[in-house]
Amino acid sequence: MDTLALSRWQFAITAMFHFIFVPLTLGLSILVAWMESRYVATGEETFLKMAKFWGKLFLINFALGVVTGITMEFQFGMNWSAYSRYVGDIFGAPLAIEATLAFFLESTFIGLWVFGWDKVSKKTHAAAIWLVALATNLSALWILLANGWMQHPAGYVLRNGRAEMTNFFAVATNSYGWLKFLHTVLSGYVVAAFFVMGISAWHLLKKNEVNFFRHSFRIGASFGLAASLLVVLAGDFHAREVAETQPSKFAAIEANWKTQSNRAYSLVRIPDVKRERNYIDTLKIPGLLSFLAFGSTKARITGLKDIRADLRPPVMITFLSFRTMITLGFLFIILAIFAFVYSRRRELETRRRFLYIMLYAIPLPYIAAQLGWIVAEVGRQPWIVYGVLKTKDAVSSAVSPAQAWTSLAAFTVGYGALAVVDVYLLGKTARKGPDDLVAGYGAAAPAGEERP
Amino acid sequence: MIFRVIWFILWTVLWAVYFMLDGFDLGAGMLYPFFARDENLKKDILNTIGPVWDGNEVWLITAGGATFAAFPTTYALMFSYLYSAMLLLLFSLIVRGVALEFRGKAEGQNWGKTWDLAFFLGSFLAALLLGVAFGNIFKGLPMDAHGYHGSLLGLLNPYGLLAGVLFVLLFAVHGALWLSIRLPGIDKAKKASALAGRLWYPLLLAAAGFLVYTAFATHLYANYLGYPLLWVLPGIAAAAILLIKFLTLTGRDMAAFLASCVTIVAVVFTGVAGLYPDLIPSSLDPAYSLTLFNSSSSVYTLKIMTVVAVVFVPAVIIYQFWIYRIFGRTNTSGRAEKEKAAY
């Protein structure tokens, strides 16, 4: 493999690994903040215990999100220096803004939250975790505006051999970036909701701390129901935007070969990429695809055959990722509805089979989130900046294949080891439950670094 | 022009503040295995940096992000030319960050020992590599029209290594002084302050050696000959280094720590003032040096970024300062106790 292929693998591995931690951070920060606020408002100890227990899991996850995030920033320069030179004028700004606005806020106040239990008032302490939640979501906004620009470039001009920003407002209000932001943070809320419900389900099955976990489950269920409905809605808006701005990606996610108006949606479809058609194409709903894409059953949709072969993204992986993500998305709604109803009716402990399902459902929203990124990034190929710069022209010329092999191997092994430690710690902490966590304020040790 | 200069200065400020802040927690990490033999003291050390290290490291992320936004060509070439060094730096930072956060989350002797080692190695290597990187930037990188002609081993030249040693010692003293103002209890604080005093001698030696060697290995002094006023910067650095010793001797640890902050900032400014207008000089042909003219973003982007920096960086400084004060409180009683005992 050459440096280009190696760098692409490395970016895919490091970005996907980073995005194991990000979605949980996005959602769980809000849930922990909510729990602590309930404690401040009601004075009920259960809520404090909740904030501490889920907060501890949050921190384990958060630490890896932070350290793997540094890699992402370095990598643009290390492996994609031609890209960085070409678009830095416009792409660097949202990144720097993300650091200045969000990272500082997040990392400073997480320190206060972990170590400040007896140092500030209860209200200030709860405000700290709200600021962390706000900052993580704000950071998602700016990085997705940066990514949104790669997907749908706006507010720039090609000048002096590079893309130069001419309109910051256009970059900051890029509808592609905003829709992607909504869809992404909501997917993170689904991840967090299913994480909380799944772990609660395990404890309910074991009959540990039933009251604590029944309550946690209920918070997760309400949050999860809202998030799983909204994420599909935001995804629908997002897909319409894709149909309009990235016809090649839209054609690939649907494996739509022919340009036609009044396109049907096939519930079952298996593409035959070689012959530029579909092996199986059945259970069609007339006009639905046109309607989904452009709001009219009559609308014309560009097919892959009308896109130059060298400008098409890999169809199979984009198509399958998208279909699987959508299927999972609807599954989450169904599960969340049951979860909501059972927890409202206080029937959870008797629904053992459902609790098992919720336990094993923990990884599913993670998978859906990863698939979403595959659709977004693989579906944009061969472009790194849609219509402006190709991925093959973006790689660093100074990096030798030997260097790229070394770093790829180092990341694979190093991240693999981190994953093992992370799963071990999360599993251990989650199974242990809230028993040994200090219940009150003014306790001897901060939650993060218990003294012996 | 004016915005390019502003960003050259802001770029320097971001790196200087990063070294000033992360410097003490990297330093504490380096001293940790030697200073702390028992578990209680280890936890005390970790608890002094636990609340703040993450916020400190964001200054690095921001310095990197600002380099990307304001000087994209410098960012692109610096990170890709120094690929292997950057990879090592990344892993050092990852390993020490994970060590800090995970060490306290499970028990067992091997668990603790493993993360202790990771924390030490990550802190030491990060400090060394940052020094080596900046030493080589001061010296210039072997680059021309055909790209980069250096290698990882090439970075480990005597001047680069001396800069690495200088950073390690600067941060070690800085870390010891940090511990002297933040460790609870008079004995521990005294021990840390004494350690800073001992480490000060090799630091002085390295700093003096570095100043002299810089005259031979780099062109940094050319600017100083043109604008003698610049000598104020190394003057401040030298005075601050001497003050560190004086203040530790007289038991004023907080003031000594602040003098150490000034030292680090002044050292960075001393180097970068010599670089101007280069961000990274070419050691082969000055025509291929990366300057604030040929590697910067458009003036429009720089203006936007200036607004962002002017509005938000002061806010960051204010709330980070507030956090430092909150976590300083418990130890003021420790310090008071110490001062009382000294009478």
Side-chain angles (χ1 to χ4, degrees):
Chain A
M1 279 197 278
D2 55 3
T3 303
L4 173 65
L6 292 164
S7 296
R8 288 184 68 180
W9 273 108
Q10 183 177 308
F11 199 90
I13 288 171
T14 52
M16 290 175 85
F17 191 72
H18 178 54
F19 211 73
I20 293 173
F21 311 105
V22 174
L24 185 65
T25 300
L26 287 168
L28 200 52
S29 58
I30 295 180
L31 288 177
V32 172
W34 168 255
M35 290 161 183
E36 193 173 341
S37 298
R38 295 299 299 151
Y39 167 68
V40 174
T42 65
E44 243 181 84
E45 291 280 309
T46 313
F47 284 116
L48 177 63
K49 249 167 103 177
M50 263 186 208
K52 288 201 168 179
F53 172 70
W54 297 108
K56 192 166 181 184
L57 291 167
F58 171 79
L59 289 173
I60 294 167
N61 174 75
F62 183 79
L64 285 183
V66 169
V67 295
T68 55
I70 311 175
T71 306
M72 301 317 298
E73 192 202 46
F74 276 38
Q75 243 182 150
F76 290 116
M78 286 170 67
N79 292 71
W80 304 97
S81 67
Y83 167 80
S84 301
R85 275 180 97 158
Y86 195 74
V87 305
D89 194 80
I90 197 159
F91 185 83
L95 249 63
I97 294 175
E98 180 190 18
T100 319
L101 255 69
F103 288 163
F104 273 124
L105 204 59
E106 168 180 90
S107 55
T108 306
F109 284 94
I110 195 72
L112 178 60
W113 191 75
V114 175
F115 290 87
W117 289 94
D118 342 301
K119 306 252 172 199
V120 289
S121 73
K122 290 178 188 180
K123 275 189 183 160
T124 310
H125 194 267
I129 189 75
W130 276 116
L131 281 173
V132 172
L134 171 76
T136 54
N137 283 271
L138 200 59
S139 120
L141 173 65
W142 284 99
I143 196 65
L144 291 170
L145 284 174
N147 183 270
W149 187 82
M150 297 167 77
Q151 305 283 354
H152 179 49
Y156 74 103
V157 61
L158 296 179
R159 190 165 57 197
N160 304 323
R162 63 180 179 181
E164 292 194 348
M165 181 153 60
T166 53
N167 186 350
F168 175 72
F169 191 71
V171 176
T173 59
N174 188 348
S175 59
Y176 198 110
W178 276 90
L179 286 170
K180 195 170 175 128
F181 161 71
L182 283 179
H183 187 54
T184 306
V185 294
L186 286 164
S187 77
Y189 302 166
V190 177
V191 167
F194 277 72
F195 182 86
V196 169
M197 287 192 282
I199 290 170
S200 301
W202 188 83
H203 283 284
L204 290 172
L205 284 165
K206 298 256 164 195
K207 303 196 184 346
N208 297 335
E209 297 266 349
V210 172
N211 187 41
F212 179 93
F213 284 109
R214 195 196 282 142
H215 214 127
S216 296
F217 191 103
R218 206 158 100 176
I219 293 175
S222 310
F223 191 61
L225 181 60
S228 58
L229 286 168
L230 290 172
V231 75
V232 170
L233 190 68
D236 175 53
F237 282 113
H238 188 28
R240 282 165 203 250
E241 177 92 5
V242 169
E244 206 166 292
T245 56
Q246 297 181 308
S248 60
K249 183 189 279 179
F250 192 79
I253 63 180
E254 288 302 344
N256 181 37
W257 297 98
K258 279 183 245 161
T259 304
Q260 267 178 0
S261 40
N262 198 7
R263 283 302 268 171
Y265 185 85
S266 308
L267 288 175
V268 179
R269 172 173 281 182
I270 296 175
D272 178 357
V273 177
K274 224 176 213 163
R275 293 195 196 127
E276 304 196 339
R277 62 189 182 88
N278 295 315
Y279 281 121
I280 300 173
D281 200 18
T282 183
L283 295 180
K284 293 185 181 182
I285 305 172
L288 182 63
L289 185 60
S290 289
F291 180 76
L292 285 173
F294 294 103
S296 150
T297 53
K298 300 267 179 319
R300 200 176 148 83
I301 293 185
T302 309
L304 285 160
K305 282 185 177 179
D306 285 310
I307 295 163
R308 251 170 56 197
D310 63 328
L311 295 183
R312 290 178 202 164
V315 176
M316 197 56 133
I317 179 170
T318 313
F319 170 80
L320 288 178
S321 302
F322 186 72
R323 281 277 158 133
T324 315
M325 176 185 74
I326 300 285
T327 312
L328 287 171
F330 283 103
L331 176 68
F332 300 149
I333 295 181
I334 295 168
L335 289 176
I337 290 173
F338 279 110
F340 186 77
V341 172
Y342 291 156
S343 61
R344 286 277 140 182
R345 289 198 200 146
R346 299 180 175 274
E347 285 175 7
L348 277 175
E349 291 99 296
T350 55
R351 303 278 179 179
R352 295 186 64 85
R353 199 181 301 157
F354 180 72
L355 290 177
Y356 271 111
I357 293 174
M358 291 311 286
L359 172 62
Y360 291 111
I362 292 177
L364 297 181
Y366 284 100
I367 293 171
Q370 298 283 351
L371 291 172
W373 274 108
I374 292 176
V375 172
E377 299 296 287
V378 176
R380 191 190 56 230
Q381 301 304 322
W383 303 102
I384 191 164
V385 179
Y386 194 77
V388 175
L389 183 69
K390 291 215 176 114
T391 308
K392 68 177 170 62
D393 301 321
V395 76
S396 299
S397 53
V399 178
S400 69
Q403 283 177 307
W405 269 116
T406 311
S407 58
L408 178 60
F411 278 116
T412 310
V413 174
Y415 277 14
L418 285 184
V420 172
V421 179
D422 180 61
V423 169
Y424 163 74
L425 262 189
L426 280 177
K428 184 179 135 77
T429 312
R431 276 196 301 271
K432 213 164 162 192
D435 297 346
D436 65 331
L437 294 172
V438 207
Y441 256 81
E449 305 275 348
E450 282 106 346
R451 296 186 194 190
Chain B
M1 171 72 190
I2 181 72
F3 284 98
R4 294 194 170 97
V5 175
I6 287 176
W7 270 95
F8 187 81
I9 295 169
L10 280 173
W11 183 72
T12 316
V13 169
L14 289 171
W15 283 108
V17 174
Y18 167 64
F19 291 136
M20 177 185 97
L21 292 178
D22 216 25
F24 72 72
D25 64 59
L26 290 170
M30 285 189 265
L31 301 176
Y32 173 82
F34 309 106
F35 190 73
R37 300 272 177 211
D38 66 292
E39 187 62 19
N40 278 332
L41 186 51
K42 282 181 180 173
K43 293 226 159 154
D44 282 339
I45 292 180
L46 294 175
N47 280 332
T48 66
I49 59 179
V52 292
W53 78 272
D54 198 0
N56 294 345
E57 207 166 283
V58 175
W59 286 92
L60 172 68
I61 314 271
T62 307
T67 314
F68 198 172
F71 303 104
T73 307
T74 297
Y75 166 79
L77 298 187
M78 176 177 160
F79 280 65
S80 62
Y81 287 177
L82 304 181
Y83 191 86
S84 303
M86 287 294 176
L87 184 70
L88 281 172
L89 176 61
L90 257 179
F91 270 89
S92 312
L93 293 173
I94 290 174
V95 159
R96 83 181 282 274
V98 173
L100 262 167
E101 293 300 319
F102 281 5
R103 188 185 187 281
K105 300 227 165 34
E107 292 88 35
Q109 226 189 343
N110 286 334
W111 179 266
K113 269 190 186 160
T114 309
W115 292 121
D116 282 353
L117 181 68
F119 180 47
F120 163 73
L121 277 180
S123 304
F124 172 74
L125 269 180
L128 184 73
L129 285 164
L130 286 164
V132 170
F134 267 73
N136 278 284
I137 287 172
F138 293 161
K139 192 168 167 292
L141 295 178
M143 53 188 183
D144 60 18
H146 306 291
Y148 182 59
H149 304 283
S151 65
L152 182 62
L153 284 178
L155 296 175
L156 300 177
N157 54 69
Y159 184 74
L161 281 174
L162 180 58
V165 170
L166 176 66
F167 268 50
V168 166
L169 288 167
L170 270 174
F171 293 172
V173 169
H174 201 41
L177 290 169
W178 166 259
L179 293 178
S180 79
I181 58 170
R182 284 298 168 99
L183 278 179
I186 145 176
D187 295 342
K188 297 172 195 165
K190 263 194 170 167
K191 205 178 142 199
S193 154
L195 179 62
R198 282 201 302 280
L199 285 167
W200 182 83
Y201 296 103
L203 170 63
L204 187 70
L205 198 67
F210 186 75
L211 276 178
V212 175
Y213 201 172
T214 297
F216 301 101
T218 75
H219 302 289
L220 293 188
Y221 288 128
N223 278 350
Y224 286 82
L225 297 176
Y227 306 92
L229 192 63
L230 288 177
W231 285 104
V232 169
L233 294 168
I236 293 174
I241 285 198
L242 295 175
L243 259 180
I244 292 176
K245 185 67 185 172
F246 172 74
L247 292 165
T248 32
L249 279 176
T250 51
R252 276 170 285 181
D253 295 332
M254 187 61 183
F257 176 71
L258 293 177
S260 174
C261 291
V262 172
T263 305
I264 291 175
V265 171
V267 165
V268 175
F269 270 85
T270 301
V272 179
L275 278 179
Y276 184 92
D278 293 345
L279 287 101
I280 305 181
S282 162
S283 59
L284 301 177
D285 179 353
Y288 296 98
S289 294
L290 298 170
T291 70
L292 62 101
F293 304 106
N294 70 15
S295 83
S296 80
S297 281
S298 63
V299 172
Y300 179 81
T301 297
L302 293 177
K303 276 185 191 166
I304 297 280
M305 293 308 301
T306 306
V307 173
V308 172
V310 166
V311 174
F312 291 102
V313 172
V316 170
I317 292 172
I318 290 168
Y319 64 66
Q320 285 205 336
F321 186 73
W322 179 62
I323 297 288
Y324 272 93
R325 290 206 29 175
I326 287 176
F327 289 102
R329 254 179 234 159
T330 41
N331 295 309
T332 42
S333 61
R335 263 168 45 81
E337 189 189 325
K338 182 184 171 189
E339 273 152 20
K340 222 188 310 175
Y343 275 113

